[in-house]
Amino acid sequence: ATTMGNVDLTNDKGAVTTVDKTWTFVREPDGTIHIYGYPEVVFPPTDSHSATLVDDFIYIVGGSRYPQHCNFGDAPVLRLDIRTLSMERVTPGGTCPGWIFKHQAMRVGPRSIRITGGKVSGQKEGKETFTQNKDTFVLDLDALMWTRQPVAGSSPTAPPEA
């Protein structure tokens, strides 16, 4: 299970610091529970993302987040190593879907993930915008490259303005 939110830390002088954390709870077969905390710079709070298992990694793509965590035009991709539970950001090249959320992800072939549907966040005149994703995007995990595959009979989704 995963939860996220603010945590207040108080030092020995009474000063309080609030940090945004994501916590993952893992229950072992013997009943032991491990709690893993990820700082927001490693795993920012997210919702409506996809998570796809490929080999020993879970790839977390997109998601709706607080605006201060968004880099509009970018598709965030995180990789969780299921052996160590370490989390890292990966930065694929190519044509990405943009800041996508509420999408579907499916493993295709031995080392690729296909992204369809969902919405893409953008920004116009200082305000957040949302457009429907009409294209299919494939992330090649060996090359770390995105490719866009427009749906037959439709025009490609315009990339969101930064």
Side-chain angles (χ1 to χ4, degrees), residues 50 52 100-106 113-118 137:
S50 62
T52 308
I100 195 162
F101 63 102
K102 292 188 177 179
H103 57 282
Q104 295 79 43
M106 180 191 327
I113 299 172
R114 180 175 39 220
I115 303 292
T116 58
F137 293 86

Side-chain angles (χ1 to χ4, degrees), residues 110-125:
R111 305 256 321 133
S112 294
I113 299 172
R114 180 175 39 220
I115 303 292
T116 58
K119 295 184 178 187
V120 179
S121 293
Q123 198 171 43
K124 187 172 186 174
E125 298 174 7

Side-chain angles (χ1 to χ4, degrees), residues 84-108:
T84 65
L85 296 180
S86 62
M87 178 83 69
E88 67 178 329
R89 179 168 175 136
V90 294
T91 52
T95 303
C96 75
W99 201 281
I100 195 162
F101 63 102
K102 292 188 177 179
H103 57 282
Q104 295 79 43
M106 180 191 327
R107 179 179 175 170
V108 291

Side-chain angles (χ1 to χ4, degrees), residues 71-91:
N71 182 10
F72 299 107
D74 181 29
V77 179
L78 299 169
R79 178 171 52 202
L80 174 67
D81 185 323
I82 63 172
R83 298 163 299 182
T84 65
L85 296 180
S86 62
M87 178 83 69
E88 67 178 329
R89 179 168 175 136
V90 294
T91 52

Side-chain angles (χ1 to χ4, degrees), residues 71 73 105 131 135-137:
N71 182 10
T131 56
D135 295 324
T136 296
F137 293 86

